[in-house]
Amino acid sequence: MKEYEQYPMWDAALPLEKRLNDLISRLTIEEKISLIPTREAAVPRLGIPAYNVGGEAAHGVAWKGEATVFPQPLGLSSTWNKALMREIGSVIGDEARAYHHREPERHGLTLWAPTVDLERDPRWGRTEEGYGEDPVLTGEMSAALVQGMQGNHSFYLKMVATLKHFFANNNEKDRLNCSSSIDPRNLREYYLKAFETPFVEGGALSMMTAYNSINGTPAIESPYVNDVVKGEWAMPGFIVCDGGDLSQTVNYHGYHATHAESAAGALKAGVDCLTDEVDLVVSALQEALDRDLLKEEDLDRAIRNIFGVRMRLGQLDRTGLNPYASIPESVLCAPEHAKLSYRAATESIVLLKNEGLLPLKSDALRKVSVIGPLADAVYTDWYSGTLPYRVTALDGLRSRLTDAEVLYEDGNDRVSFKTTEGQVLTLEAEGTLVAVPEGSAQMAEFIHQDWGWGSHTLRSVKNNRYLTLTEEGTYQASAPEIGGWFVKEVVQFDPQMDDSSILRSWNGIPLGLAEHQGKLVLAPVVQQSGEGADSSKASSSVIGPKEPVSLVKHIVTSGVERAIDAARASELSVVVVGNSPYINGKEEIDRPGLTLPEEQVRLVKEVCKVNPNTVVVIVGSYPFALQELKDIAPAIVYLTHAGQELGNAVADVLLGAYAPAGRLNMTWYEDESQLPDIMDYDIINNGTTYMYHEGSVLYPFGHGLTYSEFEYENISVQQISGISGDDVLKVEVQVRNTGEYASDEVVQLYGHPQTSRVKRPLKQLIGFQRIHLASGAAKTVSFEIPIQKLSFWDVTRDRYCVETAAWFIMAGRSSADIRQTAEFHVEGEVIPARKLDMPTFAENYDKHAGVLLDECLEGRSAVRAIVPGEPLYKEGQSSWIGFLNNGTQGAHTFEARVAAFGEDGELQIRSESPDGPLLGLCSVPAGVADSTSDQADSDIQWTTVECSLQQPERGMDQLYIVFKGGAAIQQFSLKC
């Protein structure tokens, strides 16, 4: 036995805390520092191996080699099946273990998934990674995945799930330096709720902070990490920051002047493990200690959290008791895992529309056309694993329609190019695109895909490779797939006056011809200093043409015309359209709109025109606006990019071997005019998501059809005492399959109070179950809903509150298809009138307009007006906050803690409305310090001001604070 194995830290029979105490006592400061980066160093003298924190597992183990690939998370959530999620999580854990056993110091077991960010805006570029717009669905589905990933042993962990990104991280534009403004009700009822369930119920033991700020504080230093995640929720694991965020707090947010300050701020705020360059992390921590910004106990706390997890993963353990240590490599891509991938894909499929065309009668089909740019494609995304195989929709249909002729057309044009000076573009043997005199070589022919919003790809007919910008700086048809962090397969067409176009690279640089090794090659033009110069950093051309070249595109064959011919000749057409996960919406790029590309819409229209028996299959990473298609196609099916079994799942659903029962986890809006600015996170005030949106929609949250009919009967609601002693609502409803097909059904339970002190959701999901019923069968579905799920955040008392109110409890097939409703009286509280003679935090307003929440280092958040230059600023806007149902009357003085953000300001105190009677004025001069403030060296100086108040004729039941200039307020009180 080695000497270190005799230390208590290696004795797995001891309590975990004793082992951790021993470990920490034996580490030097230098060793402690080396264990804080995500690439944790080895400590040979103690037997501690190197360990790599991180890796991706959004829908299967990624970036390590072949692994089972499941549908994108948005698709997994469309199953509404928690048991399935646990099974998928378990497979991910098994395959992560297999890779870990192969190379334990390279392949860690703390993987960064699931993404729990709520998707209140479908334009978010990373929509594919999340679980939808509802906190209950997101919370319960992600909790189930976490349970499967981490295993069910009482001590040992199969792997560790890292929830991301905490929180309010739902825009890619300016994500490295923007701030999400979140008031207490949105925070508590929506954004935090989604994370609470996978922590408290799912037992997740790790979390990643987000890039953005929340209310002016970078998420890496958010007070909610310590106060809520580690405090209220008592999460015993460790927190990691997002990649590079230590340095970005300095370089992008400008929040600190040095990395030492950033490292100290992160660790003190509850982050334990820093994802950045190892040398940077180590030097920053050492400097922080030298400057007394950090204490050794801060390192100890982080290491305790990190190794509390590492020991439960089975490290520093010679007992042989870890049940997950023996998982063999043979589990990778095991046949039973492929079957689960197929099941997940089929269960995720949502039947949006069906006018009787589906299911197809395969024995009656003799000639079928399969059409569309995604018909013979299975795409991966940035966080996908490596597919062990792929089955396209075309493959799946051909394998099943063995007695029918299956035609295929992708609907894309075949094109070639000439220069305006008479040269043609051709491909060299290695795929390099060169210009030669016309007639001297065969013109290169490409499959031209228009992805919309100016993004195009060109795939060589000759070698089936995409045209891409190489590291050498030339264009070659050499990419087998569209992909990469920088998507260099994308080109843009810049039309000229003479019907020619200038092509531009993925980052907007015009392309020209330059001599290279005796040939004229296509390459980005050399950028001079100024416009566009910095956009070529990731792939600067080493060839360097001086001027762009004008190219004339020649259509060799029309994709739409070929598709029309195939559709006209067929009994049935299946058109498969959608998106590439790498184009027009991905990490770092928000989606420019909600529609499908115009060329795809045109393709569907033309096919439907000649063949009324057309099924449209949409394969996409997010919701779409389908106004032009919803009344044209008789059947529309939706699924996300569904992994290796996509084609088999699509074919079996279309042909009736499986009855679809997926449900939408996001509202499908009619168009983007129904959405606010993507930076506006206030779903309550804006009326967004199904909970607050009052307008019409294309397809509602929870929508999804199947091949059978279901009836709901006999709903009942009663209040009982739960296992923990807390009251629960027991809701029962009978569901009967009255159709001809056996099918799953997703029973959805919603609630709505008839009265409330505040604006409540029109409907809020409180429970759901996916069940299976044979034709003619019935089942009584039972829910037990904790009464606390009916609570809201009471800003007058800073706590959750269940009001006394009559509630509608509704069961149905979607948020808009309610089949049974019961009225039930909930005995709770009556919220008393506000006491404004007590200190009241400004962020606890009841109503507002034109304001943001910003940082206040004295505690809580400051409220200030949105100013010109900020994303949500509107010319002529009014900025105010309102406090309603106030019990304080006869006040003669208004006292407030205030500051000026950038310029002098003023607070107007009014009653009844923002433009109601003026009661008082408070000047807020810039740069005024106060001896009571501990922020004397800060740019923002807080001080206490007061002003006298006139007595309003109608009292102060409604008090409004109107902002002028740079005035900001943290708290106030009225003196009587």
Side-chain angles (χ1 to χ4, degrees):
M1 177 182 289
K2 295 178 181 178
E3 180 181 354
Y4 57 72
E5 292 183 19
Q6 302 177 48
Y7 299 152
M9 58 185 279
W10 276 87
D11 187 352
L14 292 176
L16 183 61
E17 283 303 308
K18 286 189 177 181
R19 298 175 65 195
L20 292 170
N21 290 340
D22 181 65
L23 166 67
I24 291 169
S25 72
R26 296 180 187 278
L27 291 169
T28 67
I29 288 184
E30 290 74 17
E31 289 167 342
K32 291 175 181 178
I33 290 174
S34 74
L35 294 170
I36 300 300
T38 47
R39 293 191 291 280
E40 298 175 10
V43 185
R45 68 181 186 85
L46 297 177
I48 298 172
Y51 184 70
N52 188 21
V53 174
E56 300 296 341
H59 47 119
V61 175
W63 303 0
K64 300 180 186 298
E66 287 187 356
T68 305
V69 178
F70 297 95
Q72 291 175 310
L74 192 71
L76 293 179
S77 179
S78 296
T79 69
W80 293 56
N81 188 337
K82 291 176 280 188
L84 174 66
M85 293 298 285
R86 278 188 288 273
E87 291 184 54
I88 292 170
S90 184
V91 167
I92 292 172
D94 286 346
E95 298 198 355
R97 272 281 170 179
Y99 271 109
H100 177 69
H101 295 159
R102 181 181 296 178
E103 295 182 80
E105 293 191 3
R106 179 185 174 197
H107 299 308
L109 290 168
T110 310
L111 302 187
W112 294 338
T115 296
V116 187
D117 301 297
L118 281 171
E119 300 181 307
R120 44 96 209 178
D121 194 309
R123 294 168 297 188
W124 183 36
R126 302 179 73 173
T127 294
E128 67 198 25
E129 296 179 37
Y131 288 70
E133 69 183 28
D134 180 76
V136 171
L137 178 65
T138 295
E140 295 193 16
M141 293 291 280
S142 60
L145 187 79
V146 167
Q147 290 167 344
M149 293 167 83
Q150 296 189 166
N152 57 9
H153 193 273
S154 60
F155 178 78
Y156 290 105
L157 300 164
K158 184 184 291 189
M159 61 166 289
V160 173
T162 300
L163 310 185
K164 60 182 188 178
H165 313 80
F166 191 75
F167 63 98
N169 177 53
N170 196 206
N171 61 277
E172 295 304 291
K173 178 177 167 34
D174 298 327
R175 67 177 184 155
L176 299 183
N177 58 9
C178 69
S179 180
S180 306
S181 180
I182 315 289
D183 65 28
R185 283 199 60 211
N186 280 281
L187 175 87
R188 290 288 185 164
E189 296 174 29
Y190 191 65
Y191 294 102
L192 292 185
K193 273 296 176 189
F195 282 89
E196 181 178 7
T197 304
F199 276 129
V200 175
E201 298 178 19
L205 288 170
S206 184
M207 183 187 82
M208 175 185 285
T209 55
Y211 283 136
N212 55 285
S213 291
I214 300 123
N215 297 347
T217 303
I220 192 174
E221 297 188 32
S222 170
Y224 299 108
V225 173
N226 276 331
D227 293 349
V228 177
V229 179
K230 291 184 173 182
E232 293 179 27
W233 301 340
M235 195 278 279
F238 72 94
I239 310 294
V240 64
C241 71
D242 206 342
D245 205 23
L246 172 65
S247 53
Q248 286 161 185
T249 308
V250 176
N251 300 334
Y252 286 89
H253 284 287
Y255 192 73
H256 292 297
T258 68
H259 296 124
E261 293 167 294
S262 179
L267 260 65
K268 286 186 173 181
V271 174
D272 304 298
C273 192
L274 298 173
T275 315
D276 219 312
E277 294 301 321
V278 172
D279 290 345
L280 174 65
V281 174
V282 168
S283 62
L285 289 171
Q286 186 61 63
E287 182 184 340
L289 289 166
D290 293 342
R291 293 170 56 186
D292 205 29
L293 301 172
L294 275 180
K295 303 293 185 184
E296 187 174 358
E297 51 262 36
D298 295 314
L299 298 178
D300 293 348
R301 182 177 58 250
I303 289 169
R304 182 178 299 276
N305 292 332
I306 293 167
F307 273 85
V309 168
R310 287 184 62 173
M311 287 179 176
R312 292 186 63 190
L313 286 168
Q315 295 187 359
L316 313 187
D317 190 338
R318 294 287 185 264
T319 65
L321 297 177
N322 179 4
Y324 307 119
S326 58
I327 292 175
E329 283 194 32
S330 60
V331 301
L332 282 171
C333 304
E336 58 269 27
H337 295 180
K339 290 179 181 178
L340 188 64
S341 177
Y342 165 80
R343 180 182 159 204
T346 54
E347 289 197 22
S348 75
I349 292 176
V350 182
L351 181 59
L352 296 175
K353 177 185 178 182
N354 186 24
E355 294 179 346
L357 182 58
L358 296 177
L360 304 174
K361 309 300 182 187
S362 58
D363 55 352
L365 294 172
R366 294 293 174 264
K367 200 167 191 178
V368 174
S369 55
V370 182
I371 295 166
L374 277 74
D376 196 26
V378 174
Y379 291 133
T380 57
D381 56 49
W382 179 248
Y383 291 111
S384 284
T386 302
L387 292 163
Y389 62 88
R390 61 187 74 198
V391 181
T392 70
L394 177 63
D395 295 333
L397 288 166
R398 276 183 170 161
S399 70
R400 287 152 176 79
L401 296 174
T402 54
D403 295 331
E405 180 182 0
V406 179
L407 308 177
Y408 166 64
E409 292 292 345
D410 62 14
N412 294 319
D413 293 339
R414 272 54 173 174
V415 301
S416 59
F417 295 92
K418 293 182 181 180
T419 71
T420 52
E421 296 179 356
Q423 300 155 308
V424 298
L425 297 188
T426 187
L427 287 183
E428 295 285 290
E430 71 277 11
T432 302
L433 197 61
V434 300
V436 299
E438 187 170 4
S440 64
Q442 184 177 4
M443 295 177 69
E445 189 175 322
F446 295 97
I447 299 166
H448 172 215
Q449 176 69 55
D450 183 348
W451 295 100
W453 293 289
S455 297
H456 304 255
T457 54
L458 296 166
R459 182 159 46 95
S460 169
V461 172
K462 182 178 180 180
N463 67 10
N464 201 35
R465 298 294 176 107
Y466 286 95
L467 195 66
T468 189
L469 180 61
T470 66
E471 292 302 316
E472 187 181 30
T474 63
Y475 270 88
Q476 289 184 354
S478 59
E481 293 186 310
I482 304 166
W485 184 260
F486 301 104
V487 188
K488 299 176 185 179
E489 293 73 50
V490 170
V491 294
Q492 305 165 27
F493 284 79
D494 188 357
Q496 306 297 297
M497 296 294 291
D498 58 357
D499 293 330
S500 68
S501 294
I502 291 174
L503 268 61
R504 294 181 179 270
S505 66
W506 63 276
N507 52 356
I509 300 173
L511 307 184
L513 295 173
E515 188 170 340
H516 177 61
Q517 298 179 350
K519 296 173 182 177
L520 284 177
V521 298
L522 191 69
V525 169
V526 172
Q527 295 296 287
Q528 305 300 320
S529 60
E531 183 179 356
D534 63 345
S535 64
S536 61
K537 286 186 230 179
S539 58
S540 60
S541 171
V542 299
I543 306 303
K546 300 296 187 293
E547 297 178 352
V549 62
S550 293
L551 298 172
V552 178
K553 182 180 70 173
H554 171 64
I555 298 178
V556 179
T557 62
S558 165
V560 171
E561 290 178 5
R562 294 196 317 274
I564 290 171
D565 291 342
R568 187 181 282 120
S570 305
E571 300 165 288
L572 173 94
S573 292
V574 177
V575 186
V576 189
V577 294
N579 79 301
S580 161
Y582 285 96
I583 300 175
N584 296 331
K586 61 181 284 288
E587 188 166 356
E588 286 202 323
I589 301 172
D590 289 314
R591 196 157 50 128
L594 301 181
T595 59
L596 287 165
E598 289 183 13
E599 285 301 305
Q600 293 188 17
V601 173
R602 176 174 166 243
L603 175 67
V604 173
K605 284 181 174 180
E606 294 300 326
V607 170
C608 288
K609 192 181 297 183
V610 299
N611 191 339
N613 296 323
T614 295
V615 180
V616 176
V617 178
I618 300 171
V619 182
S621 304
Y622 24 64
F624 294 92
L626 304 177
Q627 287 294 68
E628 293 187 80
L629 301 183
K630 67 182 181 71
D631 296 325
I632 295 173
I636 304 175
V637 168
Y638 168 73
L639 71 159
T640 63
H641 299 278
Q644 60 205 52
E645 288 286 336
L646 181 150
N648 288 330
V650 168
D652 283 347
V653 164
L654 297 187
L655 296 171
Y658 184 87
R663 298 292 193 269
L664 296 180
N665 45 39
M666 297 182 71
T667 300
W668 283 39
Y669 294 96
E670 293 179 343
D671 56 59
E672 51 262 38
S673 70
Q674 294 180 305
L675 295 168
D677 190 289
I678 196 170
M679 282 304 302
D680 197 332
Y681 276 74
D682 189 339
I683 69 162
I684 300 173
N685 198 50
N686 290 321
T688 51
T689 77
Y690 81 97
M691 291 188 285
Y692 294 99
H693 181 72
E694 296 184 357
S696 58
V697 298
L698 183 67
Y699 297 114
F701 175 83
H703 172 73
L705 309 175
T706 189
Y707 297 151
S708 219
E709 295 294 328
F710 289 87
E711 289 183 357
Y712 286 58
E713 300 174 315
N714 304 324
I715 190 172
S716 65
V717 183
Q718 60 177 314
Q719 188 166 332
I720 62 175
S721 181
I723 296 175
S724 64
D726 297 328
D727 284 354
V728 300
L729 291 184
K730 184 175 182 180
V731 183
E732 291 186 341
V733 63
Q734 189 178 68
V735 181
R736 184 182 304 277
N737 183 347
T738 60
E740 299 178 4
Y741 295 88
S743 175
D744 285 2
E745 170 72 346
V746 178
V747 183
Q748 301 167 43
L749 200 65
Y750 296 89
H752 173 72
Q754 296 182 45
T755 58
S756 178
R757 180 190 179 278
V758 299
K759 180 181 180 181
R760 300 294 298 272
L762 303 169
K763 294 185 183 77
Q764 64 185 79
L765 185 70
I766 57 176
F768 61 94
Q769 288 186 40
R770 182 165 179 147
I771 63 172
H772 183 80
L773 287 176
S775 174
K779 180 179 182 179
T780 297
V781 182
S782 181
F783 298 87
E784 289 193 1
I785 309 299
I787 289 288
Q788 195 61 27
K789 276 198 173 183
L790 308 183
S791 67
F792 73 100
W793 187 255
D794 177 18
V795 294
T796 71
R797 295 175 295 173
D798 275 333
R799 64 176 177 85
Y800 287 106
C801 168
V802 176
E803 285 180 299
T804 297
W807 276 73
F808 289 127
I809 305 298
M810 300 164 277
R813 308 195 71 239
S814 80
S815 60
D817 186 2
I818 300 300
R819 299 298 182 89
Q820 288 278 292
T821 300
E823 188 171 339
F824 186 81
H825 182 80
V826 174
E827 194 65 41
E829 300 179 73
V830 176
I831 298 174
R834 277 186 182 267
K835 296 294 185 181
L836 296 183
D837 54 339
M838 303 291 290
T840 299
F841 291 109
E843 66 177 7
N844 279 336
Y845 49 71
D846 291 305
K847 300 173 68 176
H848 70 98
V851 296
L852 290 178
L853 276 70
D854 211 329
E855 186 176 66
C856 176
L857 297 180
E858 296 191 335
R860 307 293 285 252
S861 295
V863 183
R864 62 172 178 83
I866 304 170
V867 300
E870 292 182 319
L872 302 181
Y873 178 77
K874 295 178 182 178
E875 189 69 33
Q877 69 183 2
S878 176
S879 300
W880 52 267
I881 52 179
F883 300 82
L884 310 182
N885 190 29
N886 302 320
T888 303
Q889 301 296 329
H892 56 73
T893 302
F894 175 88
E895 182 181 274
R897 194 73 176 158
V898 300
F901 278 56
E903 62 175 346
D904 293 349
E906 181 181 72
L907 298 177
Q908 298 179 357
I909 318 304
R910 296 180 178 271
S911 66
E912 299 182 31
S913 72
D915 55 359
L918 180 65
L919 306 183
L921 290 174
C922 275
S923 295
V924 184
V928 176
D930 183 9
S931 59
T932 64
S933 172
D934 59 1
Q935 304 298 320
D937 296 327
S938 172
D939 291 338
I940 305 298
Q941 305 294 343
W942 289 90
T943 187
T944 300
V945 298
E946 63 178 39
C947 66
S948 60
L949 295 176
Q950 298 181 19
Q951 292 300 309
E953 293 182 4
R954 301 182 183 178
M956 293 185 185
D957 182 63
Q958 300 185 52
L959 187 76
Y960 289 83
I961 301 173
V962 181
F963 296 83
K964 300 295 180 182
I969 181 172
Q970 186 245 7
Q971 63 176 287
F972 71 94
S973 62
L974 304 182
K975 294 182 178 180
C976 299

